[in-house]
């Protein structure tokens, strides 16, 4: 007999701020106090949904560094152009995912794609930061540009479905390659749908409701915009019931049981290493940064 994961708590955003002039974000963690409970995930920014007027100038955030972790950008509305110091570039359109492994270090920029900027429209994306184990932190950077066509779906009935970005659901493998065991599922549940999902025992996990009205495990209501519920590592399944049409991101991961030290866009195992990364980045790329500067 399998056991339900217990709901630990439900949180709203811990902060609201702009990243550059293109990303108005609500930070779902760690600004609300979530840290170890969600390891190996480090941060979740929910950008938008916000309308941008047509512009001759592309909004966004200019060159900035990352080191020691991965950024995962999931596009719902709008489009972003990306380029980085490792020579990778691309456009993230609605439904696409960009999985960038910064590892030993990259400098990149993210700007509204020129046609989106020109025409204007609603912008809505998520950026999730995923930690890397110590032995991977200084490996070569890696870029996975995953189009919506490359992401397999699982039919959940009643017009509902899940896109398997990473991990495995009901025998369907995720599109992303990961260094540690992770699940990342993008769900669309229609009103009246009730589904049971398997989440590995021992994984830290969370249910992020972008919008909608969902009952979790027949007991906990998660309603409205930008609400996130954390779950116990113990247990290996959850039950979701949509009271209205809902968009949900399910994330789970095997904890990385190592020290975590962060200094702005650098995440290493000690403060000394983080500060060394900052010095090296400034010397190599000439980029100055603030310790607590937000970074999409």
């Amino acid at each position: 007999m399998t056991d339900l994961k217990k709901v630990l708590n439900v949180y709203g955003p811990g902060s609201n701020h702009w990243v550059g002039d293109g990303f108005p974000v609500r930070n779902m963690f760690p600004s609300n106090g979530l840290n170890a409970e969600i390891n190996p995930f480090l941060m979740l920014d929910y950008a938008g949904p916000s309308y941008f007027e047509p512009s001759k100038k592309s909004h966004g955030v200019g060159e900035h560094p990352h080191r020691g972790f991965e950024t995962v950008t999931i596009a719902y509305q709008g489009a972003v152009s990306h380029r980085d110091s490792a020579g990778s570039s691309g456009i993230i359109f609605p439904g696409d995912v960009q999985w960038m492994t910064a590892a030993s270090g990259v400098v990149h920029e993210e700007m509204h794609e020129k046609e989106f900027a020109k025409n204007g429209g609603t912008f809505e994306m998520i950026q999730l930061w995923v930690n890397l184990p110590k032995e991977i932190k200084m490996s070569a950077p890696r870029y996975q540009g995953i189009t919506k066509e490359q992401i397999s779906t699982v039919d959940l009935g009643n017009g509902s479905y899940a896109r398997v970005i990473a991990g495995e659901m009901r025998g369907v493998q995720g599109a992303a390659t990961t260094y540690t065991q992770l699940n990342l599922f993008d769900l669309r549940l229609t009103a009246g749908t009730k589904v049971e999902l398997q989440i590995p025992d021992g994984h830290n996990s969370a249910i992020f409701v972008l919008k909608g009205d969902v009952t979790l495990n027949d007991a906990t209501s998660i309603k409205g915009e930008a609400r996130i519920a954390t779950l116990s590592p113990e247990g290996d399944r959850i039950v979701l019931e949509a009271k209205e049409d809902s968009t949900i991101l399910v994330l789970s991961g095997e904890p990385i049981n190592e020290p975590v030290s962060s200094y702005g866009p650098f995440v290493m195992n000690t403060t000394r290493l983080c500060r060394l990364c900052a010095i090296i980045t400034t010397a190599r790329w000439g980029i100055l940064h603030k310790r607590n500067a937000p970074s999409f």
Side-chain angles (χ1 to χ4, degrees), residues 16-26 46-50 52 112 123:
N16 296 264
H17 57 266
W18 279 81
V19 178
D21 65 358
F23 309 112
V25 305
R26 287 174 277 186
Y46 179 35
S50 299
F52 283 83
H112 289 186
F123 186 89

Side-chain angles (χ1 to χ4, degrees), residues 54-116:
S55 173
K56 295 180 180 179
K57 172 184 177 293
S58 287
H59 301 288
V61 59
E63 289 189 337
H64 58 283
H66 292 294
R67 195 169 196 165
F69 63 99
E70 302 179 288
T71 68
V72 181
T73 304
I74 305 167
Y76 294 89
Q77 302 183 76
V80 164
S81 294
H82 161 271
R83 67 176 183 85
D84 64 40
S85 57
S88 301
S89 63
I91 300 174
I92 313 167
F93 290 110
D96 295 346
V97 173
Q98 180 208 75
W99 200 296
M100 186 185 76
T101 304
S104 60
V106 296
V107 167
H108 76 152
E109 67 173 26
E110 296 150 295
M111 308 296 293
H112 289 186
E113 185 267 336
K114 63 179 182 179
E115 286 301 313
F116 174 74

Side-chain angles (χ1 to χ4, degrees), residues 71-272:
T71 68
V72 181
T73 304
I74 305 167
Y76 294 89
Q77 302 183 76
V80 164
S81 294
H82 161 271
R83 67 176 183 85
D84 64 40
S85 57
S88 301
S89 63
I91 300 174
I92 313 167
F93 290 110
D96 295 346
V97 173
Q98 180 208 75
W99 200 296
M100 186 185 76
T101 304
S104 60
V106 296
V107 167
H108 76 152
E109 67 173 26
E110 296 150 295
M111 308 296 293
H112 289 186
E113 185 267 336
K114 63 179 182 179
E115 286 301 313
F116 174 74
K118 177 182 176 182
N119 297 322
T122 301
F123 186 89
E124 183 182 13
M125 296 196 183
I126 283 175
Q127 187 166 100
L128 178 69
W129 288 11
V130 183
N131 199 13
L132 288 169
K134 181 179 180 179
E135 67 269 18
I136 303 297
K137 285 185 179 293
M138 294 306 293
S139 61
R142 184 177 69 180
Y143 176 88
Q144 299 176 75
I146 304 168
T147 66
K148 62 182 179 181
E149 291 81 11
Q150 294 173 304
I151 301 173
S152 298
T153 61
V154 174
D155 186 354
L156 300 176
N158 196 34
S160 300
Y161 63 91
R163 301 195 317 142
V164 187
I165 296 171
E168 183 269 336
M169 178 190 285
R170 300 183 183 181
V172 174
Q173 295 296 317
T177 299
T178 65
Y179 283 104
T180 59
Q181 292 186 24
L182 300 173
N183 290 309
L184 198 58
F185 308 141
D186 175 23
L187 274 59
R188 304 295 195 284
L189 299 185
T190 58
T193 300
K194 187 173 186 178
V195 297
E196 181 177 302
L197 301 179
Q198 299 297 313
I199 305 291
D201 183 64
H203 273 209
N204 287 332
S205 49
I207 310 300
F208 176 45
V209 177
L210 286 73
K211 57 185 175 183
D213 185 354
V214 178
T215 300
L216 178 56
N217 293 347
D218 297 317
T220 302
S221 176
I222 313 173
K223 184 176 182 179
E225 268 195 18
R227 304 287 290 172
I228 190 166
T230 53
L231 305 170
S232 65
E234 301 79 21
D236 58 5
R237 65 187 178 97
I238 60 171
V239 177
L240 294 169
E241 183 175 6
K243 303 299 184 181
E244 61 184 52
D245 292 354
S246 302
T247 301
I248 302 162
L249 186 69
V250 177
L251 50 153
S252 83
E254 184 178 34
I256 299 173
N257 296 315
E258 297 173 354
V260 176
S261 182
S262 62
Y263 188 93
F266 311 114
V267 181
M268 304 300 284
N269 298 105
T270 68
T271 301
R272 185 184 67 83

